[in-house]
Each structure stands twice: as C-alpha cells, then as structure tokens.
Amino acid sequence: MTKSGKKTKPTALFDSADWDFETLQRTYEAIEDIALEDLGLDVYPNQIEIISSEQMLDAYCSVGMPLMYEHWSFGKRFIHDEERYRKGYQGLAYEIVINSSPCISYCMEENTMAIQALVMAHAAFGHNHFFKNNYLFQQWTDAEAILDYLDFAKHYVTECEERHGVSAVEEILDAAHALMDQSVFRFRRPSKLKPGEAEERERESREHDEQSYRELWRTLPPVDAAELPDAEERELNARKAMLNLPDENILYFLQKNSPVLEDWQRELLRIVRNTAQYFYPQKQTKMMNEGCATFVHYYIVNELYDRGQITEGALLEILHSHSNVVFQPNFDDRRFSGINPYALGFAMMQDIVRICTEPTDEDRDWFPDIAGNDDWRATLKDIWANYRDESFILQYLSPKLIRDFKLFLLSDKAAQPHISVDAIHDEQGYLEVRKALAASYDVTAVEPDIQIVDVDLRGDRELVVRHSVQDGIVLDEKTRVDVLDYIGRLWGYAVRLEGIDLATGRNPYTERVEAPGEKDAA
Amino acid sequence: MIHLIDRRLNPRDKSLGNRQRFLRRARKQIKEAVDKAVSERDVADAGQGGKISIPSKGITEPRFRHSGTSGNHERVFPGNEEYVTGDKIQKPPKGGAGSGGKEASEDGEGADEFVFSLSRAEFLDILFEDLELPDLIKATLKETHAVKPRRAGYSNFGTTPNLNVLRTMRNSMGRRVVLNRPKAAAIKELEDEIEALQAKDDLSATERLRLAELVNEIEDLKRRQRAIPYIDPVDIRYNRFDPQPEPKSKAVMFCLMDVSGSMGQHEKDLAKRFFILLHLFLQRKYERVELVFIRHTHVAQEVDEETFFYSQESGGTKVSTALIEMQQIIKDRFPVSDWNIYAAQASDGDNIANDSGVCVDLLENELLPLCQYYAYVEILTEQEVARYAGTSNGKELWRGYQAVGEQSGKFAMKHIAKRSDIYPVFRELFAKGDKRDRVA
C-alpha cells in the first residue's frame, strides 16, 4: 500500500454495525475520494439501491437484471435459490451490479455498515470502472440503452402472451434459450441500439422479414443453370451468399430466414439473442472483472483504514469477508469447484502491483515491459481496459503465481487408460500451464463451435448445422438431440447436425430430427 | 454524484409470475408428487403445503455442450502437492468421475430430483385440481332467490332511516352559500347593536336613524332566512340499496359413522381421513363450512369431533337412526334455502336385518332431495376386500344402498381397506364431469 496522501484527523466514518442513509452518503464520499483522486478510476454515475433479501432473490433469478421478461426457467432458478437460501446452504451475494449508465448496484439491507462500505467500493467503483473502460463492454454493449431495451422486451413478451397465449410464447422462448450460447456475434459488432428505437425497429423489421421470406422462394436458380456441369456447386455458393452462410449466430439466422415463424416469434428470438449478446462480454471477462473489483475494494478499505476513516473492527470484518471471497480450495478439497475467479483475479492484480514496484529478476525476464515501472495504477488501468480473461492470463500470469497456486496441468485422452500430468509449477511447466489455463478461459474454445452451413432449398428444406469437432470432443448426446429438436421447431423442417473434425475431416457423428409435422404423422 | 435509493418498500415477489409459470410447466410431475405426499402424510397436515420433490426430467434446459468423456481434455488445477511432470493417474472405472467427469457435474445440478416447497394454497390447488363438487353450479344458480341488499349510491327518494346526513347537509350548505342565506350570527350581531342603542337613554338623530335602519335590515334578513330554508326537500339524499342475488356460500357437511364395537380404531382412522379430505375440499369451495358429527350404534346422537372419533360405544347397529337424526338436524338448523348440504357416511357395512330397506327409503325420499351429494364409504378388512374385489358386491348395507346408487346422481359409494385407498377413492368420487363413476 502506498502512503496515504493527506493525514486527516482520525475520526471514523462510522463506528457501529447499523447503517443509515446519512452514513452511507458520508462513506460513499470518502470512498469516491480515494477511487477518483488516488486510483484515478473513471466511472459511470452511481446509483445505489438498498433492497431486502427477498428482492435480492428476485434479482438473482432474472439473471441479475432489474427488469426481465417472465419465463418458467427464471422461476425454477428462483425456487432453487430460495430453497438453498432458506436452508442456509447458500448465502446471498452482498451485491449485484448492473452494467448500465447510471451504474446500478444493489446492496442488501441486512449488510452491516462495514459490508456496505466494502460493497460500494467493490461494485460502485471496481465493477463500474471495468464496465466503463474495458474494450469488450465498450464495443459490444450499450450501457445507456440496456434498461430501456429490457423494459421494451418485458412489455413485448407480456403483450405476446396476452395476444397469443402463454404457452405459445413459452414454446418459442424455450427453444430460444436453448440456443442462446450459439446466438452471439463473436466477430462482428451488432448494430447499435438506441433508447426507444427498439419498437420502431420491430415494426420495420416485420416488413423486412416478410420481404425476405418471399425472397427465399423467388430466387431459386433457373432450371437451365442446374443443368450446367458445375451446377450443384454454383447453386450451393449462390445459396450461401444469399443466406449469408455459414452463420455462427443460430437465432439470428432463424429470425431472418425461418419459413414458419410469425413476426412476433421472430421478435422474441431477437430479444433472447440481444440478451445473450449483452451478457457475452461478461462471460469473457468474469475473472478480470471480479479481480478488478476485488482489488479496488481491498485497496480502498485499507486506505480508509490508513486515513483513520474506518475502525479496526470494521477493517477486520471487511477483511474476514474479503478472505472468504478470495479463498481457493485445492483440487482435492471437497469444496473445490474450479478455479475461483475472485481468487485468481485478485492475486493477479496484486501480483502486477508487486511486479511494477518490487520486481525480482525472474519478473524482469518475464515482464520486461512493466517490471519496475513503478506506476502500477497506469499499468492496471491499461490492463483492465484492453484485455479479456484469456489474453490477460496468457500475458500476465507470472511464474510466482503459478507456484503460489501450485497449478498443474492434467491431460485426459479418451484413448488412454490414464490421465497424465503434463506440466507442474516448475521451470519447464510455466509456459504450458499458462497456455492451457488461458485456453480454458477462451469462451470460443470452451463453448462448442456450431454453425449453420447449408439449407436444402429445393428439396425438403433440411437445415444443415455443423459442429466443428476439436480434439475429438463431441457434443453431449443427451442434450444435443433435445437442442436440435428446438432448432427443428423454429425452422419448421428437418434439421441435420453433423460433427466434423476439422483436423482430420472425419465425421464422428450425425444427428437428424424430422420436421415437426412429419414426427406427428409418424 | 451518488444516487441512493431505498427500494425496500418496492413490491416484493417480482418472481411470482415466474414461479407460477414454473409450477404450470411442471404441473404433471408436481401433481404426482403431491398425490404421493398426501397418501404418505398424517391427516393433521394432509392439507399443509411443504416440501415436495419432482424428477428434474421435464424441466431441464438443454444446451449444446461438450461431452466430458470423449476426446482429449486439458485442464489446469490448483494445489498440486505430490505430482511431477509425467506422472500417470489411473482413470476411475467408468462413469468418468475424473477430471473430465467433474466438469459435467459442475454446471448440471447433479441430482435427478428437484426439491422445493409449495405453499398451502398451491398445494391444495394442485391436490384438488381436477376435482369438482357435484352439482355445485346448479346449487348456486338455484340459489339466486336469496337476496341481500347492497349499497348502491344515493337516491332522492327513500325512507327516513336511510337518510344520508352527510350528503344532505353538503347539498344544503351548498345551496345556502349560493343563495346567500343570512347567517344566524349576522342577525345576532344586528340585534346586539339594536339592544345597545335601545339601552341608551337619549339617542342622537343619527343614532335614531341607525336604529330604524337596523330594524329594517333585520326584518329583511329574517324574511330571507324564512324564504331560504335551512334544509330544503331538494337537499335530501337517501342511501340507496339494491337487492343483489347472493349465491349460497355456506355448506354443511354431515359426518355419519357407525361406532359400534365392530368399528375398531383402524376403521375409524380410515373414516377420519376420508372426512378430513372432504372437509378440506369443501373449505376451498365455500366461504363457510359447518361440520356436524353424528355417530350411531342402535341409537344415533350428535357429538363433538373428539367424541366422534375417539370414544367407543357398545350396542347394535341401526343405520337408519343416524339418517333420521340427520334429517332432524337439517330441519332444525340448516334450511335448504341457505345451505349446501353434503353428507359422508362411513361404516363397516353391518346393519341389523330389515333396516337397510328403511335406510334406502329414507335416503331416496327424504335426504337425497335435500343434499348436494351423499357419499358412502364402506371400510373393509383386507380379507373382505379380497372377497369383494372386482365385484360390485359388499356387505349388508352396501347391498341395500346399491339400489339407491343406481338411481340417483347424487349418491356414490366406495370400498376402502387401507390408507392408500382413501385418496384414490376420494378422487374417484369427486372426479370432474363424466369421469365420475357413481357406483363401484
């Protein structure tokens, strides 16, 4: 910790566990002073809302959003969380923060004042700064528009339920939810959404959809073209060009091209797709985001203590919950459930401060560009702005941390009777461990790569979906048929899923679901 | 810069809609679980909500995901204490609980059962979902002649007891203000002044003039006061009452039971369960449900619940006495115009010779026309069940009642031998519409 700038008179901001709005305000101002003046964070305006534990449970199940359309799966999550909470299996998060402008943080009324201070530092400044500055959020989400959009979505879904019945809406949402993971643009930026524009767009797109629907039929190649020697291939190319294939965004494709959907159903697909897109950056930066917020709250509360603004008791209480949050159980521990993003993120941020200020020779070898630059604030801000989990680990996971965490790499090959230890925390293993760990944070690699590649327009309109198999890992059999079935419902005709191993060209599996009509007839 | 908002008073239960959607979605599974729970539970808490667990099969949310058992996986773990590069670890036999398998159980819930709690209302809703009270609709329609006055605004006509003072005075005041009716205080003031002037002995010319002026003025005011009455007939308003047809919302349930020596505690317990289920069911349909317990041996008497279920009596069995008692009670306390009458009779089927015919006669001619529904459950031992299984035959009373069952839509009878029979039998008795099978 650096020396505190000014020594104020050691009067604590609060000295009891109870909080009131005046104390919150006062504490917030003290935190803000450190966050902006000392750390130099750049944040959206803050809006802090105090809610009860029931409301927190409510917020939980609608994926943390203050507004969400209604669906049974949210109810399932709610019931599940509620049951666990009531039985004491699971505490509730102290806060939920929403990537919007103003940045909304929910704090629970049950929190003590010390915890409220921690939460404000964590959410209102840590997460907030990350949301505002990280390139993924900047490029892919619109903090100003999201609440308006969700409001539109909620009303639209309710309206559809009134007009078409709850179960008709549910059918579409079920199918869309199953395809959410495969329905984000990974490489091209989705068009920007301005507040209030959604309704307008919906109307326009309805007309457009109708037109493109007719296109599908009119632009079939003329008969003589089919008789040319290369006809088949040319036809395929024409088709692909027309339908923009291959398409990685399944819901987008279905929304635009499905021959059986009605306008409102297409709009529902778009709503689910947009929600998925909004959360996509969060998926890719979970560890960094938490690391950033944890680092910020840790720095701020220590600074508050150094300035005499919080008491020793409050500091201890905060540190107690801090260390719970950043606890990393070992792989053979009963509590182990993967690498804790708070633990790894926080450790890496702290480690960068160390590398900047007190580098060892090893650090100078590994990180020549930042080691000893003595400006950790700028270094961290640059990292928070320009990396995601995968690239951050690949670039900045230091040998010291690999040793601290005692990381090791296991390789499990289906053909082998045993699992082998490929690398551990030693000189030969650092790079390999780091690369493998980084890869496990690469969302595009962790999630199956599934694309729509072809449609048989002339025959039975069978839709062809391809899963690019990597490392021989196929799709889970139980779920792949179910999900394929959902695609079939949205497409209206048969769907074929091919697993193609790109490296070997082999085709380890193929699934096909019949058109919904055919199945009923059978 | 900061915006602090207290949201604690905002409506909770934002997830209620989601919860209901979930319950509807999993309706079938929940229904099965609820039925199972009821047959296992004690009577006392048969109607409570509570925990149920349903198979998570119908409520999964499938996504495409990698299979944990195929292909080559690499994964980094923390906390290595013993391994060095090149170590080989035997894979656990099948099932993949190793590094690969772990991944699979992490996101999934692992367990095949989804456990959660239902509130009492939800529980009962589901429990009685496809059950219908026989002739409920007919009864409510029939009852439209029962009327009750309801407040319906104000009217210009009415009787004095219905006078609405507030409205009347409001109108009166409005009129008085508009017409500028002189206030009593104003007159009093002038009168005081006159008094003061008259009290003087010698009045000046101006004072005398003033006095005359005042007298005139008072005269004028009083005239206007008379012309503009304090309360005019146009001010008067009465409370208006509209006679509104009122559906019957009261039900009485008669529990009739044979308590002679042949009915042991086991039989009584079964009967009690049946009665309680019926009571719960009626409670959901009616605002108010009265219970009447009639026990009988060779004589019948009305008793309280405790006595009904737990005290032993000795004597013969004469069922008709109970029916006569019931008829009497209806006549005394439960006029058919106000009450929906339900009856459930439990017995082990014994009756003295010749009495069954009397019972049938009583039922057909006296009681059934008054009742909405009359259910008879015959409680048998296991051996007896085996004997009567599949036949429509039963013991003495059953054979007698069969004649009734065939003729009337209001009568049903069933055999019960063990706890688990009760709920299915109950369901059969009250199943909606055509599914109802009056006679076993």
Side-chain angles (χ1 to χ4, degrees):
Chain A
M1 293 294 103
T2 55
K3 276 235 148 281
S4 49
K6 47 184 175 180
K7 274 274 181 231
T8 48
K9 261 209 296 187
T11 42
L13 292 160
F14 53 91
D15 50 10
S16 85
D18 298 332
W19 57 266
D20 54 48
F21 283 93
E22 200 186 314
T23 323
L24 279 182
Q25 182 81 36
R26 207 165 52 224
T27 311
Y28 176 87
E29 277 156 17
I31 292 171
E32 185 181 40
D33 181 51
I34 299 171
L36 302 186
E37 302 306 322
D38 182 345
L39 284 172
L41 300 184
D42 167 30
V43 293
Y44 291 123
N46 269 310
Q47 177 168 326
I48 293 175
E49 308 196 350
I50 307 292
I51 60 176
S52 64
S53 56
E54 282 100 336
Q55 289 166 326
M56 185 58 110
L57 274 169
D58 280 347
Y60 254 47
C61 60
S62 45
V63 282
M65 300 309 289
L67 294 161
M68 200 66 197
Y69 55 85
E70 296 194 318
H71 187 252
W72 65 270
S73 64
F74 303 140
K76 176 183 162 189
R77 217 151 300 145
F78 176 77
I79 288 167
H80 181 74
D81 286 337
E82 190 188 28
E83 197 71 19
R84 289 176 61 83
Y85 174 64
R86 302 253 178 268
K87 281 199 205 128
Y89 288 156
Q90 165 186 315
L92 292 177
Y94 298 124
E95 46 81 25
I96 282 183
V97 57
I98 291 159
N99 169 26
S100 62
S101 176
C103 176
I104 300 174
S105 334
Y106 293 122
C107 298
M108 271 215 293
E109 64 171 337
E110 280 89 344
N111 296 346
T112 62
M113 186 56 224
I115 298 297
Q116 302 290 28
L118 168 78
V119 164
M120 284 193 284
H122 182 90
F125 291 98
H127 283 306
N128 192 345
H129 172 86
F130 197 84
F131 287 145
K132 189 170 177 189
N133 293 280
N134 186 268
Y135 78 106
L136 280 173
F137 289 93
Q138 282 183 347
Q139 279 179 23
W140 298 77
T141 64
D142 294 304
E144 280 87 10
I146 184 65
L147 292 181
D148 279 334
Y149 185 72
L150 286 176
D151 189 47
F152 156 76
K154 187 178 161 69
H155 284 109
Y156 191 83
V157 170
T158 313
E159 217 176 276
C160 284
E161 284 183 342
E162 280 162 12
R163 229 174 326 137
H164 308 283
V166 176
S167 43
V169 172
E170 189 174 287
E171 238 170 73
I172 298 293
L173 288 180
D174 282 356
H177 283 185
L179 296 165
M180 248 175 137
D181 292 338
Q182 280 72 42
S183 297
V184 290
F185 293 110
R186 295 189 161 81
F187 308 108
R188 75 189 143 106
R189 170 76 165 92
S191 48
K192 239 185 159 74
L193 214 61
K194 297 212 173 55
E197 205 184 325
E199 288 93 337
E200 176 70 9
R201 280 262 306 269
E202 192 263 324
R203 195 183 52 75
E204 278 174 21
S205 83
R206 209 181 281 176
E207 291 159 18
H208 171 78
D209 282 342
E210 277 165 5
Q211 279 161 13
S212 70
Y213 166 67
R214 282 187 232 105
E215 282 299 312
L216 201 73
W217 302 100
R218 268 203 249 118
T219 52
L220 287 175
V223 183
D224 56 320
E227 281 159 4
L228 293 170
D230 247 352
E232 205 168 304
E233 197 171 319
R234 277 182 31 196
E235 195 185 312
L236 176 75
N237 288 337
R239 222 160 45 220
K240 286 190 169 177
M242 181 182 81
L243 296 172
N244 242 334
L245 292 174
D247 201 327
E248 52 161 356
N249 192 326
I250 294 182
L251 285 182
Y252 180 78
F253 176 86
L254 292 171
Q255 176 204 326
K256 293 287 171 208
N257 299 311
S258 166
V260 295
L261 293 184
E262 293 183 31
D263 300 338
W264 61 272
Q265 296 173 316
R266 289 176 209 275
E267 186 59 28
L268 290 181
L269 296 195
R270 187 222 290 276
I271 286 171
V272 173
R273 184 168 70 71
N274 279 337
T275 320
Q277 190 77 54
Y278 171 79
F279 285 111
Y280 190 55
Q282 306 205 358
K283 260 192 197 169
Q284 297 182 80
T285 55
K286 168 119 178 100
M287 185 271 287
M288 282 190 78
N289 203 340
E290 295 302 353
C292 167
T294 310
F295 176 85
V296 166
H297 83 227
Y298 186 75
Y299 181 84
I300 288 177
V301 294
N302 276 296
E303 188 67 21
L304 282 175
Y305 177 68
D306 285 348
R307 293 183 182 186
Q309 288 176 309
I310 55 174
T311 61
E312 202 154 87
L315 180 74
L316 282 175
E317 187 186 346
I318 290 171
L319 290 184
H320 176 72
S321 67
H322 168 83
S323 46
N324 279 343
V325 165
V326 298
F327 173 67
Q328 174 64 63
N330 284 343
F331 75 100
D332 49 0
D333 194 305
R334 222 161 32 86
R335 292 163 291 182
F336 178 76
S337 63
I339 291 181
N340 177 355
Y342 292 83
L344 184 63
F346 177 65
M348 286 184 69
M349 306 299 170
Q350 290 285 76
D351 196 44
I352 284 164
V353 175
R354 184 190 60 79
I355 293 171
C356 289
T357 50
E358 302 151 11
T360 60
D361 289 343
E362 184 185 50
D363 295 324
R364 287 186 201 282
D365 282 350
W366 283 71
F367 309 105
D369 48 339
I370 63 164
N373 70 1
D374 227 15
D375 188 2
W376 56 266
R377 287 179 179 80
T379 310
L380 276 180
K381 267 187 279 178
D382 174 62
I383 288 170
W384 290 336
N386 297 313
Y387 289 81
R388 60 189 172 128
D389 287 354
E390 182 239 348
S391 54
F392 176 52
I393 292 178
L394 202 56
Q395 190 77 26
Y396 288 108
L397 184 67
S398 73
K400 175 172 183 300
L401 269 194
I402 296 177
R403 286 194 299 274
D404 288 352
F405 275 87
K406 297 184 173 146
L407 296 177
F408 66 114
L409 172 64
L410 285 184
S411 160
D412 175 7
K413 294 191 168 67
Q416 307 277 344
H418 43 67
I419 298 164
S420 60
V421 179
D422 276 9
I424 63 162
H425 52 282
D426 60 13
E427 204 62 53
Q428 297 81 45
Y430 292 144
L431 273 178
E432 213 173 325
V433 167
R434 184 160 90 171
K435 205 176 114 213
L437 188 63
S440 73
Y441 282 89
D442 183 3
V443 175
T444 47
V446 171
E447 284 179 354
D449 176 9
I450 292 164
Q451 306 196 356
I452 293 187
V453 290
D454 197 9
V455 186
D456 182 2
L457 282 181
R458 317 194 65 209
D460 56 5
R461 296 176 208 155
E462 184 184 67
L463 185 71
V464 186
V465 182
R466 186 166 67 205
H467 169 222
S468 309
V469 179
Q470 265 156 5
D471 295 325
I473 303 171
V474 298
L475 288 181
D476 180 63
E477 270 178 61
K478 266 189 291 182
T479 51
R480 76 186 178 207
V481 183
D482 293 344
V483 182
L484 206 57
D485 202 52
Y486 280 130
I487 302 183
R489 281 191 221 170
L490 295 178
W491 177 245
Y493 295 93
V495 182
R496 192 169 78 229
L497 171 69
E498 295 172 337
I500 304 280
D501 196 320
L502 292 183
T504 62
R506 282 191 325 117
N507 174 5
Y509 70 93
T510 302
E511 298 278 0
R512 186 172 189 277
V513 294
E514 298 298 323
E518 286 172 42
K519 225 179 335 179
D520 295 342
Chain B
M1 190 72 190
I2 183 191
H3 209 59
L4 269 170
I5 299 178
D6 190 352
R7 288 257 188 243
R8 285 171 294 177
L9 294 178
N10 276 27
R12 281 142 209 246
D13 293 330
K14 247 172 31 179
S15 308
L16 207 62
N18 289 325
R19 185 183 167 91
Q20 281 160 352
R21 276 173 176 70
F22 171 73
L23 292 183
R24 200 177 42 90
R25 169 88 179 195
R27 194 104 209 173
K28 200 164 140 265
Q29 290 100 317
I30 294 175
K31 175 94 188 117
E32 277 164 20
V34 164
D35 288 357
K36 198 163 139 246
V38 165
S39 57
E40 283 167 356
R41 273 182 190 174
D42 276 347
V43 176
D45 47 31
Q48 297 300 322
K51 203 187 315 158
I52 62 164
S53 87
I54 59 173
S56 54
K57 229 182 142 231
I59 49 164
T60 50
E61 301 160 72
R63 301 267 175 113
F64 281 131
R65 56 161 212 244
H66 285 136
S67 124
T69 48
S70 66
N72 307 332
H73 296 261
E74 285 197 331
R75 200 166 163 206
V76 175
F77 290 91
N80 174 26
E81 297 292 351
E82 49 187 313
Y83 299 125
V84 293
T85 311
D87 275 1
K88 302 219 182 301
I89 306 156
Q90 198 63 33
K91 281 187 196 174
K94 280 263 165 179
S99 65
K102 227 169 200 162
E103 223 163 4
S105 63
E106 223 174 82
D107 34 334
E109 262 138 341
D112 289 332
E113 293 280 292
F114 187 81
V115 180
F116 62 101
S117 299
L118 288 174
S119 72
R120 182 185 153 89
E122 287 168 337
F123 190 89
L124 290 180
D125 255 345
I126 293 164
L127 182 63
F128 295 127
E129 179 187 41
D130 43 4
L131 299 182
E132 192 57 80
L133 271 181
D135 299 326
L136 180 71
I137 298 164
K138 201 180 94 202
T140 52
L141 287 179
K142 197 168 68 185
E143 268 331 297
T144 47
H145 71 260
V147 292
K148 190 183 174 187
R150 286 249 166 91
R151 281 291 296 273
Y154 306 98
S155 115
N156 293 341
F157 313 99
T159 55
T160 329
N162 287 340
L163 181 78
N164 186 305
V165 179
L166 190 73
R167 257 320 143 105
T168 305
M169 288 314 287
R170 194 186 292 169
N171 288 342
S172 145
M173 185 150 96
R175 185 179 47 79
R176 278 182 278 127
V177 169
V178 169
L179 297 180
N180 201 7
R181 183 178 192 265
K183 290 203 173 80
I187 295 175
K188 178 87 172 54
E189 205 175 295
L190 296 180
E191 279 173 347
D192 284 351
E193 204 178 334
I194 291 176
E195 225 168 277
L197 286 174
Q198 283 172 342
K200 278 191 185 172
D201 287 335
D202 50 339
L203 295 172
S204 68
T206 46
E207 277 174 337
R208 221 169 283 138
L209 208 61
R210 173 74 184 146
L211 191 62
E213 217 172 85
L214 283 172
V215 170
N216 276 339
E217 213 169 305
I218 285 184
E219 197 65 25
D220 186 43
L221 287 180
K222 284 193 171 163
R223 191 175 45 74
R224 276 176 59 204
Q225 211 177 26
R226 275 193 304 277
I228 306 168
Y230 188 76
I231 291 180
D232 191 275
V234 301
D235 299 337
I236 295 179
R237 291 293 177 275
Y238 298 94
N239 291 330
R240 203 169 89 97
F241 290 93
D242 251 3
Q244 291 249 325
E246 173 120 309
K248 271 195 298 188
S249 55
K250 291 185 292 189
V252 57
M253 171 181 157
F254 284 88
C255 301
L256 281 64
M257 185 164 66
D258 178 6
V259 292
S260 63
S262 53
M263 284 285 280
Q265 206 52 50
H266 169 71
E267 283 82 5
K268 280 189 184 175
D269 187 49
L270 290 180
K272 180 177 182 181
R273 281 162 188 276
F274 184 81
F275 291 143
I276 285 190
L277 218 47
L278 182 59
H279 186 219
L280 271 177
F281 185 40
L282 290 176
Q283 270 182 326
R284 281 181 44 72
K285 299 282 178 184
Y286 293 101
E287 273 172 35
R288 198 172 133 207
V289 179
E290 294 270 320
L291 280 168
V292 176
F293 297 99
I294 301 172
R295 65 172 188 179
H296 70 91
T297 53
H298 60 283
V299 288
Q301 84 193 107
E302 188 188 348
V303 292
D304 61 37
E305 186 175 349
E306 195 67 15
T307 324
F308 184 73
F309 286 118
Y310 297 110
S311 81
Q312 275 286 359
E313 282 289 299
S314 59
T317 309
K318 196 173 173 196
V319 178
S320 58
T321 54
L323 298 182
I324 292 166
E325 175 79 14
M326 174 175 162
Q327 192 189 355
Q328 191 58 42
I329 293 173
I330 293 178
K331 212 162 117 195
D332 293 347
R333 305 203 321 248
F334 300 103
V336 189
S337 56
D338 289 346
W339 293 84
N340 289 292
I341 297 169
Y342 293 86
Q345 184 185 6
S347 154
D348 57 0
D350 289 340
N351 200 2
I352 60 164
N354 304 331
D355 188 51
S356 296
V358 181
C359 293
V360 171
D361 191 44
L362 268 172
L363 274 176
E364 284 189 335
N365 299 323
E366 306 290 340
L367 289 174
L368 285 182
L370 306 179
C371 290
Q372 304 296 342
Y373 199 53
Y374 192 105
Y376 170 61
V377 288
E378 191 159 285
I379 296 159
L380 302 176
T381 60
E382 296 283 353
Q383 296 91 324
E384 285 168 336
V385 172
R387 195 181 331 146
Y388 298 130
T391 70
S392 58
N393 215 347
K395 295 176 80 173
E396 170 71 28
L397 194 55
W398 179 279
R399 286 197 295 275
Y401 274 176
Q402 237 163 357
V404 188
E406 278 155 15
Q407 287 165 20
S408 164
K410 288 180 177 178
F411 184 84
M413 52 198 226
K414 288 280 172 198
H415 278 137
I416 291 178
K418 47 185 191 295
R419 272 187 188 192
S420 53
D421 288 349
I422 294 172
Y423 186 57
V425 162
F426 183 79
R427 294 192 62 79
E428 252 178 86
L429 286 178
F430 292 96
K432 259 183 195 166
D434 303 333
K435 279 186 287 175
R436 206 180 307 150
D437 181 10
R438 301 278 183 199
V439 182

